[in-house]
Amino acid sequence: MAEFTMELNDDQKQVRDWIHGFAANVIRPAAAEWDEREETPWPVIQEAAKVGIYSLDFYAQQYFDPTGLGVPMAMEELFWGDAGIALSIVGTGLAAIGVLANGTEEQIGTWIPQMYGTPDDVKVAAFCSSEPDAGSDVGSMRTRAVYDQAADEWVLNGTKTWATNGGIANVHIVVAVVDPELGTKGHASFIIPPNTPGLSQGQKFKKHGIRASHTAEVVLEDVRIPGSCLLGGKEKLDERLARAREKAKAVDGDRLKNAAMATFEASRPAVGAMAVGTARAAYEVALDYARTRTQFGRPIIDNQGVAFQLADMRTQIDAARLLVWRASWMAVAGRPFTSAEGSMSKLFASEVAKKVTAQAVQILGGNGFTREYPVERMHRDAAIYTIFEGTSEIQRLVIARTLSGMPIR
């Protein structure tokens, strides 16, 4: 187990500089165009695939970095380039992780390559969990999966929402209810193969920010998939449901609940790193502008009102990065999040991104309010970080419950 460090090693620096170069030379020049078009930036994804950034191998290498800093470092640099395009590049990873975490070896080998396609024919995948009435409240999920034993098929019905790549994905991973009486313990995940009848795209959302990332509803109407498309297999599911029905002792229930919390906690620092990247990008634009913009015969950074804002912005960004790195290292090292450190990192970094991008707009004044400068787009993009992967209110609830041990509502 690697010791926690705030210094990247030579290999990590080389990877960071490589990703940064791609973000600077490929993502940034395309950012404004795809934000305006509000379409998936297929040419940029293809370029990412050609250089090896859009691939399972790349994310696996970062995920298995023993220091825990591989993923947050990569996320920060990509989202420094542009949040919408970066999310289009990394969105498939959500579905891939779902298969890696719960699938059999055969499912992993069969479906993950189909999620990415090839550099000449890139594909994307979608992870579908949220529903119109079940966002943070996953216990209200209504999408049902019913097993047809005679045909060895699962039949899915329901509507998913806020799905990144939903409807345009080659492969969809869908979370559905298999036993309503068991609440969240009665959920399972399913692979929906390409061109499966009954799956369609519903509403495509026209968003405030991250507009280069496709977000839509996914409608499932009598979708039939082979039994082999249940992630982990039916035997494993039946064993899990049987244990849940036995109403394990309270101590075991607490253990399972804490394990589930740990799983969510471990994924949140990556979102925090995305927020750090966007905040850093806006800060750098504001710093450069303040150095070169003159008013009353001198650069505006000579004014304390501007200089102090920049000082606070940089301090908050560095503090957010440290929280993200600490949580990322803890997750890889197997350290328990006794103070909900994962939620802390996501909460603080996302709030910093909103604040710093707003300050950047203010420092640029009227120019910051126009689309001629990127801080306007960055400010819109930053709004999502306090919403997805658990709102700021949910993060505070998780932290408060963890610290107090009380069921705060």
Side-chain angles (χ1 to χ4, degrees), residues 294-360:
T294 58
Q295 289 287 281
F296 304 105
R298 62 180 184 178
I300 63 173
I301 199 170
D302 281 357
N303 299 310
Q304 282 188 359
V306 173
F308 284 8
Q309 280 194 78
L310 290 163
D312 286 343
M313 292 159 73
R314 177 58 186 268
T315 300
Q316 291 163 359
I317 291 168
D318 281 13
R321 182 184 298 109
L322 288 174
L323 283 173
V324 167
W325 283 18
R326 179 185 68 168
S328 300
W329 171 78
M330 289 177 69
V332 169
R335 298 290 181 91
F337 288 136
T338 55
S339 299
E341 287 86 352
S343 284
M344 282 185 182
S345 69
K346 196 271 183 184
L347 169 65
F348 188 77
S350 61
E351 296 286 347
V352 164
K354 285 187 67 174
K355 183 176 181 180
V356 165
T357 54
Q359 289 176 301

Side-chain angles (χ1 to χ4, degrees), residues 52-53 55-66 70-71 93 96-97 100 112 116:
I53 290 177
S55 70
L56 178 63
D57 287 344
F58 170 75
Y59 293 110
Q61 289 173 9
Q62 306 317 311
Y63 181 80
F64 290 111
D65 182 334
V71 170
I97 289 171
L100 282 171
I112 290 183
Y116 287 93

Side-chain angles (χ1 to χ4, degrees), residues 141-146 175-181 183 186-188 190:
M141 189 176 294
R142 295 180 180 178
T143 297
R144 291 292 308 276
V146 178
V175 182
V177 179
V178 294
D179 190 332
E181 294 181 0
H187 294 178
F190 299 86

